Every structure is written in C-alpha cells, then in structure tokens.
Amino acid sequence: MIVRASDESDLAAIAAIYGRHVLHGLGTFEEAPPDEAEMARRRAGVLELGLPHVVAEAGGQVVGFAYAAPYRPRSAYRYTAEDSVYVREGYAGRGVGKALLGEVIGACEALGLRQLIAVIGDSANAGSIALHRSLGFAETGVGRAVGFKHGRWVDIVTMQRALNAGASTPPKGAGLRPVGAVAPR
C-alpha cells in the first residue's frame, strides 16, 4: 500500500468510497452522495488552502482517502484543522486509515498548525474512535443526538490532537488563510 497526494484521476474512486459511506454509514451526516464534480470542487478547495488531500492505493486501486480542512471559518481558528478519513468497504482494519491519517497529521504539522480535530459521526463508531486514539487523539466531548440519519438520532464524538507545540507557545506564521466572510452566529 502506498499513500500519496490525490490527483484528478482518483476522483471517481473517491466519489465511490464516499458515496458508500453517505448511503450506508454514519461517519458523515450527508444523506445524498455528491457526484464526482462536487468531490472535485471539494478537493480543489482543500488544495487551494495548502492542506493535504491524500489517497491510499493498494493493488493499483484507491482504497481510501483523507484530508484536512479548516475547522471553522473565523480567523482565530487559523491554526486548527479538522481531519476526515474514509476507507473502501472491505479494507477496514488493514491499516489504511492509520496510514492516511498519519500522512494528514504530518502534513498539518509541517504547515505549522497547532490542533487537529476529529468530529466522528456515531458514538458507536469504534473503528474511527480507536484509529484516532491510536494516533494520539483524545476525546473532548460527545454531542448527543445532533444528527438524524437512517431513521435514528446520531451522536458525534469530538477528538483532538495537539500538533507541534500545541497550546504551550504562541503560534508562528500566519496559519491557514481565512475561508471567507461568515455572518456572526
């Protein structure tokens, strides 16, 4: 298995992997699978910010993908990103997610970011929780019944991992560019 930067030729596989998670899983709260063009737009947005978007390839096929995105759009969050990891059906438990997330962590550290957040759909998602825990994430909270999917209420588990010096020193550099103007909440 190799982990590498994604490219446009991976988009059909990325859309298929994500589409299956949308239709059959609780790791994402989307309910209609985005098409390949939408996945291309999302990937371009991640890359435009200089953030990692990677795939795992085994036997010549894409078996998973992962990326980091801004955690929130307001400027004070510019040193924090959120990770996403999706693995092809039949490849869970084979180290694909760990390899992908490890690559994302390394890339975020190289960018000088200080925190990486995981928002995991479904408090019963033992695989994703264990994956994040194995790479140094700690649970920071559970949002109870914040989503409704597949006919039931679904929790989210928030986990966090410090990068670089974390909160022990002031940040260096500019951090992530602001995502755009956002109306106050």
Side-chain angles (χ1 to χ4, degrees):
M1 176 179 62
I2 62 166
V3 175
R4 60 172 174 77
S6 67
D7 63 44
E8 289 184 10
S9 70
D10 301 319
L11 288 168
I14 289 169
I17 291 167
Y18 186 67
R20 176 144 179 76
H21 282 273
V22 169
L23 291 174
H24 304 288
L26 297 167
T28 175
F29 282 14
E30 279 195 81
E31 296 180 287
D35 63 17
E36 193 175 323
E38 175 58 23
M39 295 306 284
R41 281 189 287 281
R42 293 177 188 188
R43 177 182 170 271
V46 166
L47 296 176
E48 184 179 305
L49 293 171
L51 290 165
H53 195 287
V54 297
V55 295
E57 189 178 305
Q61 67 176 334
V62 172
V63 296
F65 72 100
Y67 59 93
Y71 176 61
R72 295 282 186 266
R74 293 195 174 107
S75 63
Y77 292 112
R78 69 189 171 277
Y79 297 99
T80 302
E82 180 178 338
D83 75 80
S84 293
V85 181
Y86 296 95
V87 175
R88 181 185 215 113
E89 181 182 26
Y91 284 84
R94 295 187 185 185
V96 175
K98 192 167 192 171
L100 287 164
L101 185 53
E103 186 72 20
V104 168
I105 290 167
C108 288
E109 286 182 321
L111 290 169
L113 299 182
R114 294 302 188 89
Q115 301 293 331
L116 192 56
I117 305 293
V119 180
I120 299 168
D122 191 11
S123 57
N125 190 341
S128 188
I129 293 167
L131 164 65
H132 283 84
R133 190 171 286 126
S134 77
L135 289 169
F137 285 74
E139 189 175 308
T140 58
V142 176
R144 302 284 179 205
V146 297
F148 189 82
K149 186 174 178 182
H150 300 312
R152 70 177 182 94
W153 289 104
V154 184
D155 299 340
I156 57 167
V157 176
T158 306
M159 298 182 80
Q160 182 173 344
R161 183 188 193 279
L163 303 174
N164 296 305
S168 66
T169 63
K172 295 178 182 168
L176 298 174
R177 292 187 309 262
V179 177
V182 175
R185 296 193 229 191

